[in-house]
């Protein structure tokens, strides 16, 4: 049995873990990172990046298919496009592999030692890793748990055969003719929309009264409208019950309590993600939990001294950029810097069609806190750039305190609004007031002008509406 | 020009490593031979490491709080002449570092960039006071704390700067729009100093300061944990009438000193020590060390009394060796000498070890009773509480008497409660009738 010792050991090389290790390496900390798969975790390998690649391919395909139908107002006509999904997936895999090897290179550059294998805690200072070449024991002064999350499996719809998780959906070789999506959250809708654009007949089965329930109804309205345009059937307040005996249909209990049979080649189950808290010896170290997540404080410290936890395993929002920020912070804390979690906003993006972006408080959340607010909303129908992109649906909305105009939250829905997340996040983090946004020159013609106009609207003097 | 490497010398008997508690030099300093470079702490004593040569400090090999093995390099100096690092000779880790900054084993080049981000914070702190105090801005930038739960409004750069300077931003009011805190506000806050934070009192403080337990405090912590986790304590409190003893003490202190004899002023301690010597003569099992792993009680003939003493850096226990062979004056003189050595930090390792029983005194502070922690692996500790005049019922009336409590703990594994009580009662008798202390045989 071989043994190595280090100052910092990071378990899991997802966005949280690898950022933590790179930053620690930069700070001169003797760091080891353990990962069983390829570096990059869910995000790079089976999450953010590959899904965005597929979504982009689907968008391109649908655009051309639309033109081929002779319906394009742009005056472009083309022959009917064909999609070779296997090739699309290979292209996507190429991007993923470039990025994962990029992460490996960055780790190496930061002098981080990578150990490949499954890590299990022996005690609070020692981890055993089953590697290809045998058992490797690693002793560390500080350990960071960054084990991430995994798709939740429904007991009556176990993954396998036609039932797939998002991971398998991102590796299909053929576009399923009929796709049933169980769960109308952001992962289900992102992928459901992508497959619909590639030609699948998609049905979304959602147990709640509406899709994208974490967003307010006003914000999701343009998405719901688009679902209908794409021919996606949405069954609300409906419960998936299981797979038909032949395995070619999903059994559903509809809103009015009737049983329905939904023919499907593939059934994509996206009912959420759960923290990976099993299989790595959590029982050996007995950390305090917050529900199903590992309990952490504002330094990402767990209940055991010398053990930190970051990313999805520590709770909502389960977003790569939250994990990255935590990872960076923990590395600096280990290096002796004074740091604590003091972020004002974690922007969230949903890559549906149209896209959604939120940062800070929604109007309802602000009201629930008892804050008197002003809201400014500007529609893309009045934005020149949106018009030229055939993307007039959607709007930017700014929520601010009524008394001092401090911006509390910003939301947008529309084509390509994901890129506005940067300025939304910056505005909140800097503590901008409505006047700050209104007083910043926003380049014309861009969709970003909508942000400035929304702030002007809240101040009562929008210029273009 | 050459290089000289200083390794951690052997600082005491049988010690394999020592904790670095202080650096007296930093990289770039020019040092002379015999100048003190660092202080390390062994089990009990702090030992200074002098420089054997003249030179310029190039590299420091440990941080405060690190445990350093004897013989490992701790300082590298640039010296005139060849130095002790052979070029092309046996490659030593630090030697490789200077010439090739990229060498992986070099702590210096990698840790060096770390302090940099702190500098912009430090600079304004030092520069601010004279300028900012005169500015009218300071009135607006010091104000009431924010409402509970309300986060101070500041950009990430400001938040980082405040964090590194240890400022609670909730106590800084912002002069910017919507009360936003700007760099000027931080500067003004720093210029006004910490009393401003106090002025805006009643603010909730959720701050947590992490203080590394190092040096003597770590030794004390380890020792106390060992004592309390290994030894089942029994604590016995008894009150003693020291009126007669105090009269005797006053008389002895008043007595003209014989010419040539260095007689110290007597405190109560020498009397207690002599009383203990007498009581131990009857109960030698109280003057012992219990090796519980071997299951052996080492009962000592020599009575070496440890005197717990508070020093500026923490608790230390100098030892009066062979109290059985010292008269009351010698005991007194030795206590004074050791207490001074402990306070000035010059007590040697030998003077701080080897006790067989200990006295602890919080008498000066008051307090009715204490629960002394036995000095492991001893089996008994005598605690002295404050002497005070209390009314005592003599059968017909209350009379004022000088009373003092003794709070004493015993290792209940080897000392029964009865024996403990007998021991203390014997001491009580001796102290209440102090002439008995001086009776031989």
């Amino acid at each position: 049995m071989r043994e190595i010792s280090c100052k910092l050991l990071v378990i899991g090389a997802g966005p949280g873990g690898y950022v933590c290790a790179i930053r620690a390496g930069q700070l001169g900390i003797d760091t080891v990172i353990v990962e069983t798969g390829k570096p990059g975790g869910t995000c790079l390998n089976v999450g953010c990046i590959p899904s965005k690649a597929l979504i982009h391919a689907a968008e391109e395909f649908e655009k051309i298919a639309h033109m081929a139908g002779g319906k394009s107002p742009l005056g472009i006509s083309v022959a009917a496009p064909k999609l070779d999904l296997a090739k699309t997936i290979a292209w996507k895999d190429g991007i993923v592999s470039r990025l994962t090897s990029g992460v490996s290179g960055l780790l190496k550059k930061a002098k981080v030692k990578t150990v490949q294998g499954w890590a299990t805690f022996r005690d609070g200072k020692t981890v055993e890793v089953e590697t290809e070449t045998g058992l490797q024991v690693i002793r560390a002064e500080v350990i960071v748990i960054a084990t991430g999350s995994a798709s939740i499996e429904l007991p009556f719809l176990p993954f396998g055969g036609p039932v797939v998780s998002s991971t398998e959906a991102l590796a299909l070789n053929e576009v399923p003719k009929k796709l049933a999506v169980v769960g109308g959250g952001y992962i289900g809708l992102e992928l459901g929309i992508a497959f619909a654009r590639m030609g699948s007949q998609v049905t979304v089965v959602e147990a709640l009264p509406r899709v994208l329930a974490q967003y307010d109804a006003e914000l999701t309205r343009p998405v719901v409208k688009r679902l209908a345009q794409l021919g996606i059937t949405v069954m609300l307040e409906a419960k998936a019950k299981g797979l038909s005996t032949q395995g070619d249909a999903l059994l559903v209990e509809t809103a009015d309590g009737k049983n329905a049979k939904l023919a499907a080649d593939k059934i994509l189950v996206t009912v959420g993600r759960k923290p990976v808290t099993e299989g790595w010896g959590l029982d050996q170290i007995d950390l305090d939990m917050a529900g199903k997540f590992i309990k952490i404080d504002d330094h990402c410290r767990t209940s055991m001294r010398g053990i930190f936890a970051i990313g999805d395993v520590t709770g909502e929002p389960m977003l790569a950029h939250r994990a990255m920020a935590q990872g960076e912070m923990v590395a600096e804390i280990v290096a002796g810097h004074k740091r604590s979690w003091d972020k004002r906003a974690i922007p969230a993006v949903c890559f549906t069609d149209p896209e959604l972006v939120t940062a800070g408080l929604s109007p309802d959340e602000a009201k629930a806190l008892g804050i008197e607010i002003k809201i400014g909303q500007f529609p893309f129908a009045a934005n020149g750039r949106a018009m030229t992109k055939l993307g007039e649906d959607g709007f930017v909305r700014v929520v601010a305190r009524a008394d001092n105009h401090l911006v509390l939250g910003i939301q947008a829905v529309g084509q390509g609004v994901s890129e506005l997340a940067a300025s939304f996040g910056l505005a909140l983090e800097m503590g901008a007031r409505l006047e700050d946004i209104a007083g910043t020159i926003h380049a014309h013609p861009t969709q970003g002008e909508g942000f400035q106009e929304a702030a002007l609207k809240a101040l009562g003097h929008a210029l273009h509406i | 020009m050459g290089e000289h490497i200083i390794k951690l010398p052997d600082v005491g008997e049988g010690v394999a490593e020592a904790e670095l508690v202080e650096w007296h030099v930093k990289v770039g300093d020019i040092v002379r031979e015999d100048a003190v470079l660092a202080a390390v702490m062994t089990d009990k004593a702090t030992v200074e490491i002098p420089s054997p040569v003249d030179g310029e400090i190039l590299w420091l090999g440990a941080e405060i709080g690190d445990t350093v093995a004897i013989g490992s390099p701790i300082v590298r100096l640039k010296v005139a002449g060849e130095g002790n690092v052979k070029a092309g000779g046996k490659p030593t880790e630090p030697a490789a570092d200077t010439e090739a900054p990229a060498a992986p084993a070099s702590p210096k080049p990698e840790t060096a960039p770390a302090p940099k981000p702190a500098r912009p914070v430090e600079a304004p702190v030092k520069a601010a006071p004279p300028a900012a105090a005169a500015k009218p801005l300071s009135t607006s930038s010091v104000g009431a704390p924010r409402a509970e739960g309300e986060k101070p409004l500041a950009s990430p750069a400001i938040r980082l700067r405040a964090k590194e300077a240890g400022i609670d931003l909730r106590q800084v009011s912002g002069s910017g729009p919507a009360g936003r805190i700007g760099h000027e506000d931080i500067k003004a806050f720093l210029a006004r100093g910490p009393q401003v934070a106090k002025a805006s009192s009643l603010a909730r403080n959720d701050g947590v300061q992490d203080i590394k337990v190092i040096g003597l405090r770590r030794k004390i912590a380890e020792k106390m944990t060992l004592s309390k986790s290994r030894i089942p304590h029994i604590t016995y409190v008894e009150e003693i009438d020291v009126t007669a003893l105090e009269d005797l003490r006053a008389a002895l202190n008043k007595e003209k000193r014989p010419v040539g004899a260095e007689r110290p002023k007597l405190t109560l301690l020498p009397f207690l020590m002599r009383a203990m010597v007498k009581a131990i003569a009857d109960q030698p099992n109280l003057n012992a060390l219990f090796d519980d792993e071997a299951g052996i009680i080492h009962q000592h003939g020599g009575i070496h009394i440890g005197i717990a003493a508070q020093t500026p850096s923490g608790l230390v226990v100098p030892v009066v060796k062979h109290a059985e062979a010292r008269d009351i004056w010698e005991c007194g003189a030795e206590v004074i000498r050791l207490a001074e050595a402990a306070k000035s930090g010059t007590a040697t390792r030998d003077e701080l070890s080897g006790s067989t029983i200990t006295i602890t005194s919080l008498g000066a502070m008051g307090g009715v009773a204490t629960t002394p922690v036995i000095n492991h692996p001893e089996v008994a500790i005598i605690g002295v509480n404050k002497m005070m005049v209390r009314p005592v019922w003599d059968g017909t009336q209350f009379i004022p008497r000088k009373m003092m409590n003794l709070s004493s703990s015993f290792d209940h594994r080897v000392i029964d409660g009865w024996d403990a009580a007998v021991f203390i009662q014997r001491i009580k008798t001796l102290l209440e009738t102090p002439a008995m202390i001086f009776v031989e045989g």
Side-chain angles (χ1 to χ4, degrees):
Chain A
M1 196 189 296
R2 294 168 305 155
E3 268 193 35
I4 48 175
S5 298
C6 59
K7 165 94 180 170
L8 174 68
L9 170 66
V10 183
I11 300 175
Y18 83 69
V19 165
C20 183
I22 289 173
R23 184 72 187 116
Q26 286 175 347
L27 290 164
I29 298 169
D30 171 24
T31 306
V32 174
I33 191 165
V34 181
E35 170 61 55
T36 187
K38 284 185 181 149
T42 298
C43 168
L44 250 62
N45 291 290
V46 291
C48 320
I49 299 299
S51 67
K52 264 79 259 180
L54 194 70
I55 287 166
H56 178 71
E59 185 186 337
E60 294 294 302
F61 178 78
E62 192 235 336
K63 237 188 246 172
I64 299 164
H66 193 69
M67 290 170 185
K71 293 172 200 154
S72 171
L74 305 181
I76 303 171
S77 59
V78 289
K82 271 203 323 216
L83 181 70
D84 182 347
L85 187 63
K87 209 168 165 184
T88 309
I89 295 295
W91 163 77
K92 172 217 78 174
D93 289 343
I95 293 175
V96 168
S97 117
R98 264 167 62 200
L99 286 168
T100 54
S101 60
V103 170
S104 300
L106 290 170
L107 286 168
K108 219 172 272 171
K109 196 174 137 199
K111 299 199 173 73
V112 175
K113 183 176 166 52
T114 306
V115 175
Q116 196 170 24
W118 186 262
T120 316
F121 272 90
R122 187 197 275 174
D123 56 50
K125 293 273 173 209
T126 323
V127 161
E128 292 176 354
V129 185
E130 285 168 33
T131 70
E132 276 185 4
T133 51
L135 198 65
Q136 169 85 64
V137 174
I138 305 173
R139 285 181 204 285
E141 280 176 44
V142 179
I143 299 179
V144 176
I145 300 167
T147 48
S149 62
S151 299
I152 292 176
E153 191 171 23
L154 293 172
F156 47 86
L157 269 177
F159 295 134
V163 182
V164 295
S165 73
S166 57
T167 304
E168 292 83 39
L170 291 168
L172 294 176
N173 278 323
E174 271 178 52
V175 177
K177 282 197 180 61
K178 288 181 176 161
L179 174 69
V181 179
V182 180
Y186 80 96
I187 299 175
L189 286 198
E190 282 184 6
L191 292 177
I193 289 173
F195 279 105
R197 289 173 131 186
M198 290 188 285
S200 289
Q201 194 185 323
V202 177
T203 306
V204 176
V205 179
E206 171 57 55
L208 294 172
R210 57 193 200 83
V211 292
L212 296 174
Q214 75 266 45
Y215 298 99
D216 62 87
E218 188 182 23
L219 199 64
T220 57
R221 196 165 297 128
V223 180
V224 173
K225 186 176 146 196
R226 181 74 178 129
L227 290 175
Q229 283 173 1
L230 286 166
I232 297 175
T233 311
V234 180
M235 298 173 74
L236 296 173
E237 295 180 82
K239 289 184 197 112
K241 302 298 268 183
L243 193 62
S244 67
T245 38
Q246 287 82 17
D248 60 352
L250 175 70
L251 304 176
V252 180
E253 185 188 318
T254 60
D256 47 15
K258 287 180 186 152
N259 288 326
K261 205 170 170 186
L262 211 59
D265 307 311
K266 291 285 175 199
I267 296 161
L268 169 60
V269 179
T270 59
V271 290
R273 298 183 65 80
K274 59 175 183 200
V276 177
T277 49
E278 282 170 3
W280 48 262
L282 178 60
D283 45 334
Q284 290 300 315
I285 47 175
D286 194 25
L287 301 177
D288 283 358
M289 304 297 285
K292 53 189 178 165
F293 300 105
I294 295 175
K295 190 175 172 186
I296 54 167
D297 65 7
D298 64 354
H299 290 76
C300 287
R301 292 182 292 216
T302 66
S303 55
M304 187 180 272
R305 193 174 53 192
I307 299 187
F308 292 78
I310 57 173
D312 289 2
V313 78
T314 64
E316 299 283 358
M318 292 201 233
L319 294 172
H321 42 273
R322 170 176 170 267
M324 288 179 183
Q326 288 179 324
E328 187 195 8
M329 179 186 80
V330 166
E332 295 187 350
I333 290 172
V334 173
H337 298 191
K338 289 180 184 172
R339 296 287 183 275
S340 63
W341 185 261
D342 66 350
K343 305 297 180 200
R344 298 294 186 266
I346 305 173
V349 177
C350 172
F351 289 86
T352 44
D353 178 22
E355 293 171 349
L356 292 166
V357 53
T358 58
L361 301 178
S362 71
D364 291 341
E365 286 165 343
K367 280 179 206 157
L369 290 172
I371 305 170
E372 203 182 319
I373 54 168
K374 269 178 192 271
I375 298 173
Q377 189 164 317
F378 187 83
F380 285 122
N383 176 273
R385 179 64 179 139
M387 283 183 201
T388 62
K389 286 174 72 187
L390 301 178
E392 293 178 30
D393 272 352
F395 55 85
V396 183
R397 184 175 66 194
V398 178
V399 183
R401 281 178 69 116
D403 55 355
N404 61 13
H405 296 176
L406 175 70
V407 177
L408 300 171
I410 311 156
Q411 301 86 34
V413 52
Q415 211 184 76
V417 292
S418 55
E419 288 303 322
L420 296 180
S423 54
F424 293 178
L426 183 65
L428 289 170
E429 212 59 47
M430 293 294 288
R433 295 200 304 168
L434 290 171
E435 288 82 350
D436 295 317
I437 296 161
T440 302
I441 295 179
H442 285 67
H444 175 76
T446 62
Q447 281 176 274
E449 286 177 274
F451 182 27
Q452 185 184 14
E453 286 283 358
L456 285 166
K457 182 82 191 300
L459 290 168
H461 49 87
L463 293 166
H464 291 90
I465 193 171
Chain B
M1 294 298 249
E3 274 186 27
H4 187 96
I5 288 181
I6 299 167
K7 294 177 176 175
L8 183 64
D10 190 353
V11 286
E13 266 174 67
V15 179
E17 57 185 16
E19 183 187 347
L20 182 78
V21 288
E22 204 175 347
W23 275 120
H24 290 274
V25 292
K26 56 183 187 300
V27 172
D29 282 2
I30 308 289
V31 294
R32 298 233 152 255
E33 189 180 335
D34 288 334
V36 175
L37 299 173
V40 296
M41 170 164 276
T42 62
D43 281 356
K44 292 199 181 247
T46 305
V47 181
E48 289 177 336
I49 310 293
S51 173
V53 290
D54 292 351
E56 182 189 345
I57 307 279
L58 293 175
W59 173 87
L60 301 178
E63 283 179 25
I64 289 171
D66 285 356
T67 302
V68 184
I70 304 302
S72 45
I74 51 163
V75 177
R76 206 172 61 229
L77 296 147
K78 187 158 81 184
V79 292
E82 273 195 4
N84 64 354
V85 182
K86 284 181 203 158
K90 223 180 5 176
T92 60
E93 270 185 27
D97 295 342
T98 15
E99 301 309 322
S106 144
K108 177 68 194 77
E110 281 166 32
T111 49
K116 271 188 192 157
R119 271 185 204 142
V121 181
E122 282 166 18
V125 180
K126 285 175 195 152
K135 277 187 188 172
L137 166 110
S138 41
T139 31
S140 67
S141 56
V142 178
R146 260 147 259 275
E148 191 164 328
E150 192 178 329
K151 284 187 175 172
L153 193 56
S155 72
I158 304 263
R159 271 142 46 197
L160 184 67
R161 183 174 159 191
K163 188 103 207 160
E164 290 189 332
I167 299 170
D168 181 354
L169 270 185
R170 286 168 311 171
Q171 300 191 337
V172 181
S173 69
S175 57
R180 186 158 56 217
I181 300 164
H183 286 282
E184 285 300 312
D185 296 320
I186 298 266
K187 208 165 136 183
F189 184 84
L190 283 169
R192 295 200 144 219
Q195 76 279 8
V196 173
K198 217 180 253 175
S200 53
S201 61
L202 303 183
R204 208 174 76 169
N205 189 342
D206 294 323
V208 178
Q209 200 185 352
D210 294 344
I211 297 158
K212 214 170 170 188
V213 177
I214 60 163
L216 185 60
R217 184 43 58 192
R218 182 154 91 186
K219 296 288 173 211
I220 294 169
E222 287 168 4
K223 193 81 202 258
M224 292 302 159
T225 307
L226 182 71
S227 289
K228 273 300 228 185
S229 59
R230 288 282 272 272
I231 305 175
H233 284 58
I234 174 175
T235 300
Y236 183 81
V237 181
E238 174 60 306
E239 60 176 358
I240 292 165
D241 184 339
V242 290
T243 314
L245 180 65
E246 281 297 288
D247 291 347
L248 174 64
R249 193 171 72 87
L252 286 171
N253 280 337
K254 232 182 196 174
E255 198 184 42
K256 209 175 166 192
R257 314 271 195 278
V259 181
E262 279 194 28
R263 281 192 173 174
K265 259 199 156 173
L266 291 172
T267 63
L268 199 135
L269 271 187
F271 295 93
L272 175 60
M273 291 164 82
R274 286 305 302 167
M276 283 163 67
V277 168
K278 280 211 159 266
I280 287 168
D282 299 338
Q283 288 175 284
N285 57 328
L286 270 302
N287 186 53
L289 306 179
F290 180 27
D291 182 348
D292 53 2
E293 278 174 13
I296 294 172
I297 298 165
H298 302 287
Q299 197 169 300
H300 284 247
I303 301 170
H304 311 306
I305 304 178
I307 312 283
Q310 190 64 35
T311 70
S313 47
L315 175 72
V316 296
V317 188
V319 182
V320 175
K321 298 280 168 63
H322 289 291
E324 80 283 2
R326 295 176 195 265
D327 66 19
I328 201 139
W329 303 107
E330 287 165 358
C331 280
E334 184 67 354
V335 167
I336 290 167
R337 188 187 70 78
L338 288 171
E340 274 165 15
K343 279 188 185 131
S344 61
T346 55
T348 64
R349 198 176 142 72
D350 189 49
E351 286 166 339
L352 293 170
S353 54
S355 59
T356 52
I357 190 164
T358 298
I359 296 175
T360 173
S361 172
L362 284 175
M365 293 302 294
V368 179
T370 44
T371 55
V373 177
I374 295 167
N375 188 9
H376 181 272
E378 291 162 29
V379 299
I381 184 165
I382 309 296
V384 180
N385 297 118
K386 189 181 177 76
M387 186 195 74
M388 46 187 110
V389 177
R390 288 182 223 152
V392 174
W393 185 253
D394 71 349
T396 53
Q397 60 176 338
F398 281 109
I399 47 167
R401 303 291 290 176
K402 289 176 179 162
M403 303 300 290
M404 183 187 82
N405 286 3
L406 284 187
S407 305
S408 308
S409 296
F410 302 87
D411 185 338
H412 212 333
R413 294 173 300 177
V414 292
I415 306 294
D416 293 334
W418 180 266
D419 289 339
V422 167
F423 183 65
I424 297 303
Q425 291 307 328
R426 174 77 179 135
I427 290 176
K428 177 182 164 84
T429 305
L430 289 164
L431 294 177
E432 291 190 341
T433 320
M436 288 170 77
I437 295 174
F438 297 92
V439 176
E440 297 301 324

